[in-house]
Amino acid sequence: MELNIFGIGILTWIVFIPIVGMIIVLLLPDKNRNAIRWTAAVATGIQVVLAGIIFAFFDRAKLGINDAESFQFMEKFSWITVEAVPWVGRIEINYFLGIDGLSVLMIILTSLIAFIGVISSWNIDKMVKGYFALYLLLVTGMMGVFVALDFFLFFIFWEVMLLPMYFLIGLWGGPRREYAAIKFFIYTFVGGILMLLTMLALYFSVAYTDPATGQSVHTFNILHMMNPANYVDGGLLSGVDTTWRYVAWMALFINFAIKIPLFPFHTWLPDAHVEAPTPISVILAGVLLKLGTYGLLRINFPIFPDATVYFIYFMAALGMISIIYGAFCAMAQDDFKKLIAYSSISHMGIVVLGIAALNTQGMVGGVLQMFNHGIITAVLFLSVGVLYDRTKKRGLYDFGGIATQMPKYTGLAMIGMFAALGLPGLNGFVSELFSFLGAFEAYKWITIISVTGIIITAGYILWTIQRVYLGKTPEKLTDLKDITPREVLMFVPLIVLIILLGIYPAPAIELMNSSLSHLVEFIHGGGM
Amino acid sequence: MVENTLYSISLYLPEIVLVVTLCIIIVADLVLKNKEQVIAWIMLSGLATAGFFVIIQAGTVENIFFGMAALDPFATFFKVLLIITGIFVVLFSIKNRELEGYSSRMGEYYMLFTGMMLGMLMMAGATNLLLMFLALEIASISSYVLAGFTKRSLRSSEAAMKYIIYGAVSSGVMLYGISLLIGVTAATDIYAINDAISAGVEQTMMLNISVLMILVGLGFKIAVVPFHFWAPDVYEGAPITIAALLAVASKIAAFAMLIRLFSVSFIDASGLSATGTWSSVEGIHWNLLLGGMAALTMIVGNLTALRQDNIKRMLAYSSIAHAGYILIGLVIMSSEGLTSIMIYLFIYLFMNLGAFYVAMLFMNKAGTESIEEYKGLGHRAPLAGVALTIFLVSLTGLPPTGGFVAKLYIFGAAISAGWIWLVAVAGITTIISLFYYIRVVRNMYFFKPDEDAGRIEFDTLSKAILIALLVPVLLTGLYFQPVLEFARNSMLMFGF
Amino acid sequence: MELTTILFYLFALVTLGSAAIMVFSKNIVHSAFALMFTLMGVAALYVLLYADFLAATQLLVYVGGILILILFGVMLTSQGYTLSFKTITVNLIPASLISVGIAALLIFAFLTTNWTISEVAERTDTVYDLGMLLMGDYILPFIAVGVLLLIAIIGAILMSTRLSADNEGAS
Amino acid sequence: MSSTIFEPGLNHFLVVSALLFSLGIMAVLSKRNVIMVLMGVELILNSANINLIAFSRFTELSLDGQMIGLFVIIIAAAEAAVALAIVLNVYNRFKTINLDEINLLKG
Amino acid sequence: MFTNLPIIILLLPLLAFILMIFIGNKLPRKGDWLATGMMALTLVLSVVLLITKVGSHSADVFTSSLDWVVIGSKTIGVGIMIDNLAAIMLVVVTLVSTLVHLFSIGYMEGDIRYSRYYAYLGLFSFSMLGIVLTNNILLMYVFWELVGISSYLLIGHWYEKKSASNAANKAFIVNRVGDFGMFIGIMILFISFSSFTFEAIFDSISAGKLPFGSEGWLTAAGVLIFSGAIGKSAQFPLHVWLPDAMEGPTPVSALIHAATMVAAGVYLVARVFPMLTADALMVIAYIGAITALIAATIAITQFDIKKVLAYSTISQLGYMIMALGVGAYTAGFMHLVTHAAFKAGLFLGAGSVIYAMHAALHKLHDHDTDAQNIRNMGGLKAKMPVTYWTFLIFTLAISGIPLTSGFLSKDEILAGTLAFSTINGHWLLPLIGFTVAGLTAFYMFRLFILTFHGKTANEKILGGVIESPKVMTIPLMVLAALSLFFFYSFNPFGASSGWFYSAVVRPVSIVPELLQPAAYPVFYEAVSSVHTIAMVLSIIIAVAGVFLAFLVYEKKKISAEKLAQHAGFLYKGATNKWYFDEIYNRVFVNGSHVIMKALRWFDETIIDGIVNGAATVTQLFASISGWIDTNIVDGLVNGTASTANRAGRLLSYIQTGKVQTYLLFVLFSLLVLFILFL
């Protein structure tokens, strides 16, 4: 399936529209803030439209994962090709984009969150131009990761996000922003180095025979890496169940675990969230964390099915620990944002547990949870942002009785809260359900312990609601305005999705069902 | 004999152009008044002409001057790099405020500079131990003086003195090693040496000792641990243009020589397989030695850089560290490794020069070399700030900058050759390097400039130079095929 | 014993002995003169090795040039006659350990090495051959060394002359 | 080849050169005075030259060794000239030429 | 008929909810008429449905479903199922709900979140009907949680009060504990049978398929599902939330915390009854019995009118659960229905009293006197006749006095327990059953007497008490009528001859034979044989309880204080609710506080500390000098790479600035290399 707009593939459009926006933003004069904002809004808005088109035209039945033929909207151009010289085979790096059931939902999520992020960035007044330029660059990086099928490209997009994020936290963040920014940077950078090394090891272990010339070509093509037949004899990562393959898996896993973030690689997250400005928190929790689990599914699982199976208990256990640990830590926080940050750790633990089940329910649940959590935390961070804008406070004990002051806002925020709590009828429940169902099939006790997390979650969420929204209003907070239309605008699409997917998740699930089923079979078949 | 000489001369045009340039500068220095700019432009055009001839001669594979030197793609590659560096540094010199107080001496400055360029170009092509040593000395002696060019400065004088003592001893030791090598192989030509070694040398111990001693001299030039001590002091003391020249050009030339010497002399010619991997002469594990040195260099360079506050000194340690990364390519002992060295050097040239250049601009305008005092500079000089950020990011090795591609190739080559531990060290030290690079960025941006400190404006030429450095750094990050092909095609060395 | 043997030992003794004096003498002027004897001893050794032209060059360039330069250096850089002619040593212990170590190692290596000796015909006159080589095989280094000397002269002049508008000591 | 070990052969010269080399090293490492250090460097260069010429006498190297020796002498002269000029400049700035007193640049 | 009608019934309250949320406030009278009217319509439809179902399709089960999602190759559907159980339950829910809507018009008048209140009632009704109608256990869980959340919202209706929001939280979280078990039970079933529908699950089990191939897991699944009921029906040990839930408005207590939601647990057990093994049923029976006993003992000692009723609710729910556990399926379910009527009545009656008390207190501007404390009441008989008489009927019903509906169902339950003990010797169950029957009669009449009879301590207040308005008394009268026997069976002494017994038949157990409880015919025979004994015994005990209450509280022949003193620690324990709250507070609340604080400390100190390396120490020293704040990144550099930094410092020490030292290092390295290479 191909879809071209002006002769350029839709995926290229959706990835690079923000870059176009960034260039326009950079060319606009500093003073013209509204033009800058509108440019960003239009660029991300176009992305949403394109995501809608992709959603409409996406063929639900195609498998993807390891089969190049069944990827959709594919674009493949030779990017860097160096002809063979006597001592080394041909080098080939492709500009290779394509999506399957695994990525399509993430694309929709990214475009949506990016758009909403722009709306919630509207009241940022400091260095507007720089802010939106970096923001748009960040969006391109995120989107790129989800569509890249060439490891090299994947890596570039992956690392492109690093610097904008560093600056966005570090320049527009809270009082301890530098600390948070550098911590984020270092963590992710460490992961990046691990991924780089693994990527190179893979590159040199994989060579496919070019049907046209008969040459053996080393390649960064992720799909080629999934085929055991493509591994060269004696390559570092050739074979099955070798120590090096385990090491490589682990290196990648740590990289992704940092992004997810999985216990014990999570400590950057609370700091980053607390310090980041609201829209960046939204992006961070809404999309960036998903990159980790997406990477696991896109790269770790299909390329190293043997190592995946070998380490899967370990992974599930880490998921379990994250769920419980994150929930307890969330309960212990006094800071609203920190609480949500820890709840993200807990909820992303569910994703990990779900995908670690290595069965279709679990995977579907996990991926759906990625999407749902993205939407839910976005709502939560936006709610904090709304309060913070009005009061400049984030401490849970600083509030009270907001429900009487701002009933509309409270209603919206509560829906987000309840969704986070896993209330049936809202989307969080559906994905948690399938994640746990899948996990339970694979690991009884781990799952049972994990499910206790939902009790703790209920505990801290309700406690938060009680402290912030219920009770009597403190004297200082009696003059709060209820939310403005702009703020409503950023909540509404998310809330609608929360309810819609809670009641009828099938449109989301059918997007990925066949791909993920195929992935499960693929792993259990040892990559055959 | 004469024909050969004449023919050789026709193939040695770039060097000859430089000699001619040197002479013109001497004359111009005597004749002209207000000569600074003119001489700079004379030198620029000399370099450009030399570059022109280099490019014209590209592709030729010839042994010239009775085996003293070679003209081959390998040499061409390095000459191109050297001339680019030279051109940039001349441009820097025009802009450098440090040199303003020495206008009467700028003639000498450019003479020595030209001499140094000449020496370095000769280093890239030399295939005879004598010429190698001689070329090295030409480059060194000019650089000793250049390092002390700003005579009024105590630091500069000290730097020159330390440099020359260190250099003299190192070259002395190297010469001793050369004498032993010549004694062992009874040859001065590196191909003849290889023949002798391949035929089987009984005096293995002697050979080892001689190579070690030669390494002291080359290691000094490249500034690899443990022969690096001079570098930070000299970089800090020398005028920043010269520091840049030493950090980039000097290193490139020395690498050219080192690679040629090692890959021609000390390998088992019979073992040169079709895959491009080669092995050193039996019983000698040069790669292990070099690997150890590379690892040490990366560790020491990066760790020490952490604590520096002077930007020149920090860049000195960073360039030491980079020498470590580059050395990995040699450790691998394969054409792949050498290709990656060449790619690395190509990119390193732009990013490191860029960093030095912005440091110089800041020194010109803000009058500081201290990283601590960079606070808020990013807001005051947006273009330079962004540029420095990109250069530093590239030095760190993050995509989508050239530095990433450079590291990618080095790491990749090492992994494919199975040097996992070395890559691990490289990876860890890369992470460490992030700290000191990012610290500069953080100081530039995360602080508000003083209220009264206004914006820093630069003139068009300064900006043009900056852009000229910036574009390749970004471009090579995204589309590096030309560099890649250039490097691969330049792998051809005379006789190999 | 042949004459050459005796001469070898004599010159070797002169060379090394005066070198030792140079190194260990506390008076820099003494050292300089000791260096002169060392260089002359080396020249003599060259003669023993059939390198008469080199021996001559050694005497001319070294004893006639470099040594004078050094003496000038000594004179120019000492304000008081007696005081700073005394040179104090630093790093004595590590320095001696290292130099002894290196000497021992080198000698050990030399002695255990089995050199391939080829008996070359005795040369009576090397000047012509050297000249031919210089104009032939070694033409490039020959020219290059000329450039080197030019650069060295420029450098030396640059370094040793005072700047026109220069107030000494300012920095 | 000589029959007794006393008869001066290649090794004899090499030993002399080795000793000269290490004396040079000793001077370089232990003398505070820059000029003494430079003298040490001259010793090192001379020792290398002895090697070269000895090899040219005893091995197949023939005249190449002498040739290189010749160049080395010239290089040594050039280097010494420049070095002394630099030292002079340092002396003008620092009023001392003791190496251990000139360490503004460190760390 | 059986597809569309139930869906309309289900969606009407949802529609009411949506309308009330969005436009409720803009409607005249804030939309109470709309909500009430829609609920009444639902009631009418439900009655139509019940009559049609029981009248002409009594033996049939109607299901219809559609696909919800497809996951892998498994299709998960959503659907509805109408059997007699559901049809009856529908009427119960909609009836009580309608009456509560009506009652609330009076009771909640002038509340600041009036329309919100009605919206939540709608949401609750919708969810509750969902539980009733669904054909699959997942959907049941969904609605299960939704009623939980509506309950949460309604308990916390007056959220300005800390106690109200606390109670709401407690209710939800305690329920979550039960739901946790239920969730795992559901997972076991789905993993084993690949379906959520009762039908498919039962089919698989009856085909001999066991979860994970083990009989133990089948029992476990049953017990785990039941744990959902433990939470929702406030069974021991999760009963603690229900008394606190009385913080909500009284009509809400009547609807949710007496008649419908809490009975959902019973409904759930009835739904999954066929798959419960004998062991699971035993657990259920004992849990029910213990709950009944504990709650009854506590009820005796309480003075808050709603608290007494709350504990009595728990106790009665224990009865129902016990009934199901022993196999008296129909009796248990029937008790659910009858209890719904009279307990809703009791609560509404109490609401009426409280409303009146409030009004009276309000007039006096007295905000200190507790309007719900029965010690502040007394002698209301004359002031509120309608309330009095209806309340009496309810009290009689709950005490199990003949001619009331309560007698019918309770009698059957007691007979069932007795029969059960004759079959397998568990004599403790009937013993508890009869004891609780006596206790119930006693404490209910204690409440009744203290409230309506005698004299009050404070005439001033009671002087102002007047009967509640019509909208409040009419529901009471309706419910009082429904608490009489003839609605359920025309024989006042034997329920089994009525329509109810023929409509609701105990389903056949489908678990493997070895695991089955006593088969229905056996059980039925045992019940028949002990029925008369049980009936006589229960009447005697109930009357004795009533009599004793009159003796103590009306005639004051026996001093209540003395009785309490005699009872000693028993009394003390009962007044303090057997210390459940305290223990839970200590263990779970404090426990989780300790854990969370510990983990927070662990996270911030250890995990982050490892990251920051020895930084903590460095930073400590650094912060003393006030240096760190300006050099955070340096601090981090010092921190994360403190070793690196130290090494860096060491290395820069080597960089002494003395060129000879450098050369020393160089030549030393050379020497070392020499040695290495020799």
Side-chain angles (χ1 to χ4, degrees), chain E residues 239 298 302 307 311 572-581:
Chain E
H239 61 275
I298 298 172
Q302 298 299 311
K307 284 268 164 72
Y311 281 107
K572 205 170 164 225
T575 352
N576 289 304
K577 305 155 197 165
W578 300 111
Y579 300 102
F580 276 104
D581 280 328

Side-chain angles (χ1 to χ4, degrees), chain E residues 611-625:
Chain E
V611 173
N612 289 344
T616 340
V617 183
T618 326
Q619 281 174 4
L620 201 71
F621 286 119
S623 62
I624 291 166
S625 61

Side-chain angles (χ1 to χ4, degrees), chain A residues 81-214:
Chain A
T81 319
V82 177
E83 283 310 312
V85 286
W87 38 76
V88 191
R90 226 170 83 194
I91 293 176
E92 197 180 85
I93 301 174
N94 287 321
Y95 176 79
F96 184 19
L97 308 180
I99 54 173
D100 60 1
L102 184 53
S103 31
V104 64
L105 215 50
M106 295 297 111
I107 289 172
I108 296 167
L109 177 70
T110 309
S111 54
L112 191 67
I113 298 285
F115 180 65
I116 285 166
V118 171
I119 299 176
S120 85
S121 308
W122 216 260
N123 53 359
I124 281 185
D125 285 330
K126 190 177 148 193
M127 295 180 277
V128 177
K129 186 169 163 178
Y131 177 86
F132 280 102
L134 290 169
Y135 183 93
L136 290 169
L137 184 61
L138 179 70
V139 174
T140 289
M142 295 188 302
M143 194 59 96
V145 169
F146 287 128
V147 299
L149 290 180
D150 187 282
F151 209 149
F152 189 81
L153 200 59
F154 182 93
F155 185 80
I156 293 215
F157 283 126
W158 183 274
E159 298 277 306
V160 158
M161 291 179 296
L162 201 50
L163 217 55
M165 205 64 194
Y166 172 69
F167 280 113
L168 286 170
I169 298 174
L171 282 176
W172 286 272
R176 265 160 52 88
R177 52 180 181 254
E178 278 182 58
Y179 175 76
I182 193 78
K183 202 168 175 183
F184 165 81
F185 199 158
I186 287 163
Y187 258 105
T188 332
F189 189 67
V190 170
I193 293 279
L194 288 173
M195 178 155 78
L196 172 67
L197 298 182
T198 321
M199 174 177 96
L200 288 169
L202 274 170
Y203 173 76
F204 285 104
S205 306
V206 173
Y208 79 104
T209 314
D210 187 351
T213 57

Side-chain angles (χ1 to χ4, degrees), chain A residues 80-88 91, chain B residues 58 72-81 259 334-348 405-406 409-410 476 480-493:
Chain A
I80 283 156
T81 319
V82 177
E83 283 310 312
V85 286
W87 38 76
V88 191
I91 293 176
Chain B
D72 48 27
F74 181 79
T76 306
F77 181 88
F78 283 93
K79 285 178 184 173
V80 169
L81 260 54
I259 292 170
S334 71
S335 304
E336 218 178 312
L338 298 189
T339 317
S340 41
I341 291 186
M342 288 155 96
I343 294 166
Y344 203 110
L345 284 173
F346 186 94
I347 292 161
Y348 172 77
V405 176
Y409 269 84
I410 287 277
T476 48
F480 44 93
Q481 187 167 332
V483 189
L484 209 58
E485 280 177 347
F486 185 25
R488 305 200 79 152
N489 297 335
S490 306
M491 267 313 300
L492 193 58
M493 248 181 262

Side-chain angles (χ1 to χ4, degrees), chain E residues 69-85:
Chain E
V69 288
V70 181
I71 268 201
S73 47
K74 291 170 190 166
T75 306
I76 296 168
V78 290
I80 51 170
M81 173 166 77
I82 305 287
D83 55 4
N84 291 341
L85 209 58

Side-chain angles (χ1 to χ4, degrees), chain E residues 183-466:
Chain E
F183 188 73
I184 290 171
I186 293 173
M187 289 202 294
I188 294 173
L189 293 181
F190 181 76
I191 299 304
S192 315
F193 307 125
S194 296
S195 177
F196 288 117
T197 58
F198 294 117
E199 200 182 350
I201 291 170
F202 293 167
D203 284 352
S204 297
I205 296 177
S206 57
K209 229 177 133 190
L210 294 174
F212 309 123
S214 129
E215 290 148 356
W217 278 107
L218 184 61
T219 305
V223 173
L224 284 166
I225 299 261
F226 168 63
S227 78
I230 295 182
K232 206 110 285 178
S233 293
Q235 296 297 293
F236 165 84
L238 299 180
H239 61 275
V240 290
W241 66 272
L242 187 58
D244 288 20
M246 297 301 133
E247 286 290 340
T250 310
V252 168
S253 307
L255 174 62
I256 300 180
H257 305 121
T260 55
M261 181 182 90
V262 289
V266 181
Y267 184 76
L268 171 68
V269 176
R271 265 273 173 263
V272 298
F273 191 84
M275 59 160 282
L276 296 172
T277 60
D279 290 343
L281 284 170
M282 192 66 78
V283 171
I284 292 170
Y286 270 97
I287 294 271
I290 294 167
T291 311
L293 183 60
I294 288 178
T297 53
I298 298 172
I300 297 177
T301 62
Q302 298 299 311
F303 286 100
D304 185 307
I305 185 166
K306 286 181 76 181
K307 284 268 164 72
V308 176
L309 291 177
Y311 281 107
S312 109
T313 308
I314 297 173
S315 175
Q316 295 303 310
L317 289 165
Y319 253 127
M320 300 172 207
I321 294 290
M322 178 170 70
L324 291 172
V326 298
Y329 177 89
T330 317
F333 186 67
M334 186 172 172
H335 197 58
L336 189 165
V337 176
T338 56
H339 173 258
F342 59 70
K343 185 49 70 57
L346 282 170
F347 266 108
L348 292 184
S352 174
V353 169
I354 294 166
Y355 178 81
M357 288 286 287
H358 259 299
L361 287 170
H362 191 70
K363 266 185 233 156
L364 294 172
H365 301 291
D366 181 349
H367 298 293
D368 299 323
T369 311
D370 186 352
Q372 301 190 10
N373 196 323
I374 44 176
R375 279 180 293 197
N376 294 336
M377 303 173 190
L380 291 175
K381 178 180 171 187
K383 313 268 181 191
M384 310 177 71
V386 182
T387 310
Y388 172 76
W389 286 111
T390 49
F391 208 92
L392 178 62
I393 295 175
F394 301 139
T395 311
L396 288 171
I398 196 171
S399 306
I401 305 297
L403 300 181
T404 62
S405 62
F407 170 76
L408 286 177
S409 50
K410 192 179 269 185
D411 165 50
E412 287 293 339
I413 291 175
L414 292 173
T417 53
L418 208 56
F420 188 69
S421 73
T422 60
I423 293 171
N424 51 18
H426 284 270
W427 50 268
L428 200 57
L429 293 173
L431 185 62
I432 292 176
F434 284 106
T435 314
V436 172
L439 289 175
T440 308
F442 177 72
Y443 68 71
M444 279 316 295
F445 271 91
R446 165 179 174 265
L447 174 73
F448 179 74
I449 293 165
L450 284 180
T451 310
F452 291 100
H453 290 231
K455 277 184 190 161
T456 175
N458 195 336
E459 266 308 327
K460 214 168 91 189
I461 300 171
L462 291 184
V465 169
I466 48 164

